[in-house]
């Protein structure tokens, strides 16, 4: 058996897929610093870069049994990171635009609208809190964490259709709780 540090990426990947955690650890040690530095350059935030790279390796580890052979492990991990960075930046851009628009609207709306909105927010929050625990978790992951159905399904180990159904049901319940508010 070769020393782990001298093994090729492909050998380490094959051994990691066979369940040898030390092989995965070697891949992690080999690529984490490089990927972290790249993420830092793109995100300019140490915590976000750490979280993104750590999440990448967690996802990579959990998908090892399904992966076929990869001839360029470094390139594969780099591509995964690049896509995660783009998704992260896109989500943050959407959040930033929403906050910017919300702050602009806040500055110009009359007091009555402000009070109405706060009351409506309280009603919506009460509706969310009234949801069954699993449904509330799915709803919050979708609407607050802004995860897509696949990401939620992967994290909770449920199907995309179940996620969609939970969200639809949550919205029905929340709407029924605030329906009287408008009438």
């Amino acid at each position: 058996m070769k020393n782990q540090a001298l093994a090729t990426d492909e050998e380490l990947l094959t051994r990691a897929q066979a369940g040898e955690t030390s092989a995965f650890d070697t891949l992690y040690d080999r690529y984490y610093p490089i990927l972290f530095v790249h993420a830092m350059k793109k995100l300019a935030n140490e915590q976000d870069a750490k979280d993104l790279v750590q999440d990448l390796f967690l996802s990579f580890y959990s998908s090892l049994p399904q992966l076929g052979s990869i001839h360029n492990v470094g390139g594969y991990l780099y591509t995964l990171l690049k896509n995660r960075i783009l998704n992260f930046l896109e989500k943050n851009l959407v959040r930033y635009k929403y906050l910017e628009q919300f702050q602009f609207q806040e500055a110009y709306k009359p007091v009555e609208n402000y009070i109405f909105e706060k009351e409506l927010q309280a009603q919506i929050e009460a509706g969310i809190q009234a949801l069954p625990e699993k449904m509330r978790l799915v709803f919050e992951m979708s609407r607050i964490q802004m995860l897509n159905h696949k990401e939620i399904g992967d994290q909770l180990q449920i199907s995309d259709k179940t996620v969609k159904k939970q969200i639809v049901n949550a919205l029905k319940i929340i709407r029924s709780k605030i329906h009287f508010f408008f009438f």
Side-chain angles (χ1 to χ4, degrees):
M1 178 190 271
K2 274 186 171 179
N3 181 3
Q4 294 278 33
L6 300 176
T8 66
D9 290 347
E10 290 77 17
E11 291 171 333
L12 291 170
L13 178 64
T14 301
R15 294 194 334 230
Q17 288 173 317
E20 192 176 319
T21 56
S22 62
F24 177 81
D25 292 344
T26 302
L27 283 172
Y28 179 90
D29 293 340
R30 191 175 285 178
Y31 286 103
Y32 181 89
I34 298 165
L35 296 173
F36 173 73
V37 167
H38 180 70
M40 270 296 295
K41 286 179 183 176
K42 298 297 181 186
L43 300 176
N45 182 304
E46 184 177 353
Q47 191 58 50
D48 288 341
K50 281 181 182 178
D51 290 347
L52 218 57
V53 176
Q54 191 66 32
D55 185 52
L56 174 137
F57 275 103
L58 181 64
S59 176
F60 178 62
Y61 182 78
S62 66
S63 67
L64 280 175
Q66 296 90 336
L67 287 177
S69 64
I70 299 172
H71 300 293
N72 183 353
V73 175
Y76 178 78
L77 291 171
Y78 174 79
T79 301
L80 287 177
L81 179 63
K82 180 183 78 166
N83 291 334
R84 286 178 184 269
I85 289 171
L86 290 173
N87 288 341
F88 179 83
L89 292 174
E90 182 180 351
K91 284 181 181 179
N92 280 340
L93 180 62
V94 168
R95 287 182 188 134
Y96 175 75
K97 285 183 178 179
Y98 174 77
L99 284 173
E100 187 177 67
Q101 181 182 12
F102 182 74
Q103 289 169 349
F104 176 78
Q105 290 172 349
E106 281 289 308
Y108 292 103
K109 70 175 141 184
V111 174
E112 295 84 13
N113 287 347
Y114 181 78
I115 293 169
F116 176 81
E117 182 177 310
K118 289 297 179 187
E119 184 63 31
L120 180 59
Q121 283 178 327
Q123 293 292 326
I124 291 171
E125 187 59 36
I128 292 171
Q129 294 307 316
L131 295 173
E133 183 179 331
K134 188 81 165 186
M135 186 182 292
R136 184 176 67 242
L137 177 63
V138 170
F139 183 82
E140 289 176 343
M141 290 174 83
S142 170
R143 295 308 195 263
I144 295 172
Q145 297 176 16
M146 298 180 73
L147 299 176
N148 64 37
H149 293 179
K150 174 131 180 62
E151 291 169 326
I152 296 169
D154 290 346
Q155 285 188 22
L156 299 178
Q157 298 178 346
I158 56 178
S159 74
D160 298 356
K161 289 183 180 183
T162 302
V163 171
K164 183 177 180 179
K165 187 67 175 166
Q166 289 286 322
I167 292 170
V168 167
N169 289 341
L171 288 171
K172 284 180 185 176
I173 292 170
I174 293 169
R175 283 187 192 118
S176 72
K177 299 281 185 195
I178 63 171
H179 182 73
F180 76 92
F181 186 77
F182 292 103
F183 296 104

